[in-house]
């Protein structure tokens, strides 16, 4: 429900085989995979600033909008999977 969301909100949940993380920052919602693609570390405690998320384990940074890594790193890393958020009335959902 939209009424339950606020800046700083984050919630991990499973949808089918997907472990997801819903975050709100600067009045925008972002839905992404909940594990860093670098080594699978949880992003539940990641640092979020603007539209950037930084893995708490190895400091890899990704765009919340595109999922792309934001700088070159010692090890190659794929983009973070980002999913579109859908709205229906006062509800928030996702289409996988």
């Amino acid at each position: 429900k939209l009424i339950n969301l606020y800046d700083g909100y984050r919630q991990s949940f499973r949808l089918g085989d997907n472990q997801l993380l819903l975050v709100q920052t600067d009045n925008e919602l972002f839905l992404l995979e909940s594990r860093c693609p670098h080594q699978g570390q949880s992003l539940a405690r990641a640092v979020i600033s603007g539209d950037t998320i930084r893995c708490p384990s190895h400091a890899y940074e990704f765009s919340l909008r595109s999922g792309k890594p934001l700088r070159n790193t010692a090890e190659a890393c794929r983009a973070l999977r980002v999913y579109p958020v859908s709205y229906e009335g006062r509800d928030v959902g996702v289409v996988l």
Side-chain angles (χ1 to χ4, degrees):
K1 301 273 182 208
L2 288 172
I3 196 167
N4 297 324
L5 305 177
Y6 53 88
D7 275 0
Y9 179 91
R10 64 178 76 190
Q11 179 67 47
S12 295
F13 60 96
R14 179 176 294 282
L15 187 59
D17 291 335
N18 300 291
Q19 190 66 32
L20 304 173
L21 179 65
L22 179 68
V23 300
Q24 181 171 319
T25 182
D26 295 335
N27 293 315
E28 284 191 76
L29 282 176
F30 298 95
L31 184 65
L32 46 131
E33 65 182 296
S34 69
R35 299 219 167 257
C36 180
H38 170 235
Q39 288 188 358
Q41 300 297 315
S42 172
L43 294 174
R45 293 185 323 268
V47 175
I48 297 172
S49 178
D51 72 343
T52 300
I53 186 167
R54 185 175 67 220
C55 177
S57 296
H58 301 105
Y60 278 54
E61 293 182 333
F62 303 89
S63 165
L64 286 172
R65 295 184 192 289
S66 68
K68 292 181 182 177
L70 295 178
R71 57 187 154 117
N72 292 331
T73 55
E75 296 177 42
C77 186
R78 70 167 171 78
L80 184 65
R81 288 187 186 99
V82 177
Y83 301 91
V85 176
S86 65
Y87 300 90
E88 187 173 314
R90 297 180 186 176
D91 295 327
V92 176
V94 61
V95 178
L96 295 179

